[in-house]
Amino acid sequence: MFSKILIANRGEIACRVSATARRMGIATVAVYSAADAGARHVAACDEAVAIGPAPAADSYLRGDKIIAAALASGAQAVHPGYGFLSENAAFAQACADAGLIFIGPPASAIRAMGSKSAAKTLMAQAGVPLVPGYHGDDQDAALLQREADRIGYPVLLKASAGGGGKGMRIVDDAAGFAAALASCRREALAAFGDDKILIEKYLTRPRHVEIQVFADNRGDCVYLFERDCSVQRRHQKVLEEAPAPGLSAARRAAMGAAAVAAARAVGYVGAGTVEFIVEHKPEQDGGAFYFMEMNTRLQVEHPVTEMITGLDLVEWQLRVADGQPLPLQQQQLTMRGHAIEARIYAENPEKGFLPATGVIHYLQTPAAVHFQVCADGGDGQPAPVRIDSGFGQGDAISPFYDPMIAKLIVWGADRAAALANMADALAAYRIGGLATNVGFLQRLIACDAFSGADLDTGLIERHHGALFPPPQTAPLSVLALAAAALLDDEKAALCDGRAGDPWAARDGWRMHDRLHRMLEWADETQGYRLTLTYMDDHYLLGAYGDAASKPVRMRIAERNGHDLRIVLGDAIVSGSVVPDGASALVFTGAGSFALRRKDPLAHAGADESGGGRLTAPMPGKIVALLVAQGDTVEKGAPLLVMEAMKMEHTIAAPSAGIVAQLLYAIGDQVAEGAPLLSLNPA
């Protein structure tokens, strides 16, 4: 077995690989960019080597620098993780040429599966069922349009060299084909350096089911059951679970056999995932299944397979790369219980899942094991909650890389138990400082379609109304918690630290009356006013302006750091209040709320309106200008396209107008909030 490996990745996957290596007594070498000098994965490894500036193209995608770091450190092998160079055949070959073992498949297998169109041909020859489509080399736009017309709409355009939802577009009719093709090619070229496109028939309610395969270099290959990854947004997975609900043993065996045939067809070695698209026909055992693609690496969602099998897939990778046989044969593999994974992202679901950047000012997670595959949760069963993360409180989410904060994985004896564990874990997951999808995930697992296992890739769009309700106004209990924290802080911080000085007291004492006070907050929905009357051992709270509101008694019962317990009327209310600059983050069973305090002593200042000037919703690069100065546009018309975190985002006109000025050119980098262009009224 190797004595030292280099991990050519970052974040939670580098931490994940290092955890298994440490357990096996293998030393690890981390690589890091200038943006990651203080990152968790650097500290998780035994050594660390700087490889370049923050942009991935200058660091994590520089195979030459990574190989040089491996050789200089004395590493014998390179683990690529997933993303970056993990499916780069040239890098795998360069490792071999340098005398390093690439912990993954041979370069030939990566090449064979790296081109989706070539892979389709191979799969057809191996007898693996395929979705009707066009996978040819002729990329003439007119020919592609004719092929789409022949296949029949809707069709799916996919970057041949792509993955992760990048370079994909659904086209509903012939009229929208040309624009979708241009956008798809542009995104594919930027993400993968290859704008070749393939076309497939788009199934309207498909499930996305993938099979985990493993092969050694002695000719043996097994499948480690399946994962359902149907719940997606923008073609990227949100929730994954194993086993796939409603899949019979016969269908599982058929899909497993097809996956093994796919792996054998390319001489595969190591961990891989064969992805299938499955028709949504429960009455026909899930309907027909079709080969979609093969990911020649470990997947983000591999922990759910580990939870139901009790196997460490990274350990399997290391043993197979060392030339050892597969630890188990197909007949020895068994499943136990049910596992679900939720990807916790720094993003704003209510704003089209725009990625968010910033510092994690506050982080509280549920009780969990970290990166542990077989941790005992009692009674010989797995631990109910596992967290894989490369971030902690005080760390920053950078605009240069994927905004995933953590993977939350739960296990239960059955799907209902796993769902209950996930609900509890999400309720206890509290993040402050930047937008996250935690609240969205809570609504998603609770919606009838997911809880009832009525799964398909359009679930989020189909249940948009339930998953994206109108913004929730803060109830009195939340305002009371914010007020209680403020009052307690004021008592603790006597003016100038003059303890015992009656003039510095914050107890609200007045000679002839009670102290009456108004507190004001605001959130994205509205402003809030709370009247406050100081009593001897409690306060009276009232919602200002609400004639039906009667004052309610409030008393602080207990405070421990950010955690508060108050008595509000006849009820006991518990929650956490975390200061975040001028805001208070309030976490309760009713959800999380960001309340911005209005200071009555602050100057109003100049409230300069941007008028028709549009600003960047996130940091990124301008990749297309769709209008010119002087153009007249209607409300909702596309104006320009930004690329952020490898995804394209179209900026639309908020109202009708005339383009007065374009402030950036194609290729320019822009900061979040930067003005992009100005519109004059039509």
Side-chain angles (χ1 to χ4, degrees):
M1 179 55 70
F2 321 113
S3 60
K4 182 186 288 188
I5 65 171
L6 180 140
I7 305 171
N9 218 291
R10 65 180 297 277
E12 59 87 15
I13 183 56
C15 294
R16 163 72 189 90
V17 174
S18 69
T20 291
R22 182 179 298 107
R23 181 175 59 78
M24 296 176 67
I26 301 171
T28 54
V29 181
V31 293
Y32 64 93
S33 71
D36 280 343
R40 300 285 166 128
H41 77 274
V42 174
C45 293
D46 300 296
E47 303 173 39
V49 180
I51 54 171
D58 300 322
S59 52
Y60 295 108
L61 291 174
R62 286 290 301 271
D64 57 336
K65 291 185 176 182
I66 291 171
I67 290 174
L71 294 173
S73 67
Q76 301 145 299
V78 174
H79 194 301
Y82 47 73
F84 293 137
L85 295 171
S86 61
E87 295 182 281
N88 187 302
F91 177 67
Q93 187 61 55
C95 286
D97 294 342
L100 296 166
I101 294 175
F102 181 76
I103 303 174
S108 58
I110 298 176
R111 289 192 193 96
M113 287 301 189
S115 168
K116 290 184 173 63
S117 54
K120 301 282 185 180
T121 302
L122 277 172
M123 295 304 100
Q125 294 171 354
V128 180
L130 302 178
V131 177
Y134 173 76
H135 316 118
D137 292 328
D138 191 338
Q139 292 288 294
D140 178 71
L143 174 83
L144 293 176
Q145 173 98 54
R146 290 195 298 274
E147 288 295 326
D149 295 342
R150 174 187 63 80
I151 296 167
Y153 297 94
V155 297
L156 179 65
L157 304 183
K158 300 171 68 174
S160 179
K166 301 172 184 68
M168 296 178 67
R169 296 291 184 276
I170 299 169
V171 186
D172 293 317
D173 52 46
F177 184 86
L181 177 63
S183 178
C184 192
R185 278 178 160 167
R186 191 167 54 237
E187 190 171 280
L189 188 63
F192 313 111
D194 185 349
D195 66 353
K196 185 177 180 181
I197 301 299
L198 58 84
I199 309 172
E200 291 180 349
K201 177 67 178 175
Y202 182 71
L203 303 180
T204 54
R205 285 200 64 187
R207 288 177 67 180
H208 182 145
V209 178
E210 59 190 30
I211 304 291
Q212 177 73 62
V213 295
F214 236 105
D216 60 24
N217 55 18
R218 306 182 181 201
D220 288 330
C221 184
V222 299
Y223 67 92
L224 286 80
F225 313 112
E226 81 284 352
R227 301 184 286 257
D228 192 299
C229 307
S230 299
V231 183
Q232 304 176 8
R233 91 286 191 265
R234 301 179 69 164
H235 306 295
Q236 290 185 315
K237 300 163 186 173
V238 179
L239 295 172
E240 300 98 0
E241 58 183 307
L247 204 67
S248 70
R251 177 50 54 88
R252 179 175 295 116
M255 294 181 71
V260 168
R264 291 187 185 281
V266 294
Y268 200 79
V269 175
T273 305
V274 182
E275 302 194 356
F276 293 96
I277 192 167
V278 181
E279 288 184 311
H280 188 274
K281 293 182 178 179
E283 71 281 359
Q284 297 180 18
D285 193 16
F289 64 91
Y290 306 100
F291 173 84
M292 187 163 54
E293 62 184 350
M294 183 176 186
N295 291 300
T296 52
R297 53 174 165 79
L298 199 64
Q299 291 277 89
V300 178
E301 57 272 21
H302 77 274
V304 293
T305 296
E306 293 181 326
M307 295 291 269
I308 66 165
T309 61
L311 303 173
D312 186 328
L313 299 192
V314 174
E315 179 181 344
W316 276 42
Q317 283 188 300
L318 295 171
R319 294 194 181 283
V320 166
D322 188 49
Q324 299 179 29
L326 291 175
L328 297 173
Q329 296 299 307
Q330 191 68 58
Q331 65 272 16
Q332 297 173 290
L333 296 169
T334 58
M335 292 189 297
R336 54 178 185 179
H338 198 95
I340 304 174
E341 176 179 298
R343 302 186 187 195
I344 296 179
Y345 274 95
E347 65 182 10
N348 194 325
E350 288 73 23
K351 295 182 179 179
F353 296 98
L354 283 178
T357 58
V359 175
I360 301 173
H361 291 156
Y362 176 73
L363 178 64
Q364 179 178 306
T365 64
V369 299
H370 296 268
F371 303 109
Q372 294 187 44
V373 176
C374 304
D376 188 358
D379 299 326
Q381 303 291 355
V385 181
R386 166 180 164 182
I387 296 174
D388 287 10
S389 178
F391 294 97
Q393 185 168 305
D395 291 340
I397 304 299
S398 165
F400 297 103
Y401 315 114
D402 186 271
M404 188 170 70
I405 297 173
K407 300 185 304 193
L408 175 63
I409 310 104
V410 300
W411 183 91
D414 53 28
R415 190 171 189 266
L419 276 171
N421 287 339
M422 179 61 79
D424 290 343
L426 285 171
Y429 219 119
R430 297 173 175 179
I431 304 173
L434 71 176
T436 74
N437 65 340
V438 172
F440 170 75
L441 291 171
Q442 289 178 286
R443 297 190 295 273
L444 183 57
I445 66 161
C447 82
D448 291 342
F450 185 77
S451 62
D454 184 18
L455 307 174
D456 66 87
T457 57
L459 184 149
I460 291 176
E461 289 78 11
R462 196 171 63 257
H463 296 276
H464 190 276
L467 296 175
F468 298 92
Q472 183 181 3
T473 58
L476 180 62
S477 59
V478 168
L479 300 177
L481 284 168
L486 176 64
L487 294 167
D488 196 56
D489 288 343
E490 289 179 346
K491 278 190 174 182
L494 296 177
C495 292
D496 301 326
R498 298 188 303 237
D501 184 345
W503 302 106
R506 297 294 184 96
D507 57 6
W509 180 86
R510 294 295 185 270
M511 183 175 293
H512 300 297
D513 193 9
R514 301 289 184 181
L515 172 59
H516 302 282
R517 185 178 177 187
M518 181 180 292
L519 300 176
E520 293 188 65
W521 288 277
D523 59 18
E524 292 185 354
T525 65
Q526 65 181 65
Y528 305 94
R529 289 182 176 182
L530 200 64
T531 61
L532 182 70
T533 303
Y534 286 63
M535 306 302 288
D536 293 334
D537 61 349
H538 64 277
Y539 303 89
L540 291 179
L541 300 185
Y544 181 79
D546 185 353
S549 174
K550 294 182 179 180
V552 180
R553 290 169 57 96
M554 182 192 77
R555 178 173 58 85
I556 301 174
E558 183 182 4
R559 187 176 189 184
N560 181 17
H562 297 306
D563 297 332
L564 269 171
R565 187 164 59 88
I566 64 174
V567 179
L568 187 63
D570 296 327
I572 296 177
V573 178
S574 299
S576 300
V577 182
V578 182
D580 185 19
S583 298
L585 304 175
V586 184
F587 299 94
T588 73
S592 61
F593 301 82
L595 300 175
R596 190 172 60 256
R597 176 119 187 269
K598 290 187 176 182
D599 186 351
L601 299 180
H603 295 289
D607 184 15
E608 182 180 348
S609 172
R613 188 164 57 178
L614 290 164
T615 57
M618 69 284 182
K621 181 173 69 174
I622 305 297
V623 296
L625 295 172
L626 307 179
V627 294
Q629 187 172 331
D631 285 357
T632 299
V633 297
E634 298 297 324
K635 181 178 180 180
L639 303 175
L640 57 86
V641 180
M642 289 182 62
E643 180 190 272
M645 295 178 179
K646 301 181 182 179
M647 297 293 289
E648 288 193 354
H649 307 271
T650 300
I651 308 300
S655 60
I658 299 171
V659 179
Q661 187 179 12
L662 295 169
L663 301 176
Y664 289 95
I666 293 175
D668 286 350
Q669 292 283 345
V670 296
E672 182 177 359
L676 299 173
L677 54 82
S678 57
L679 287 177
N680 289 335

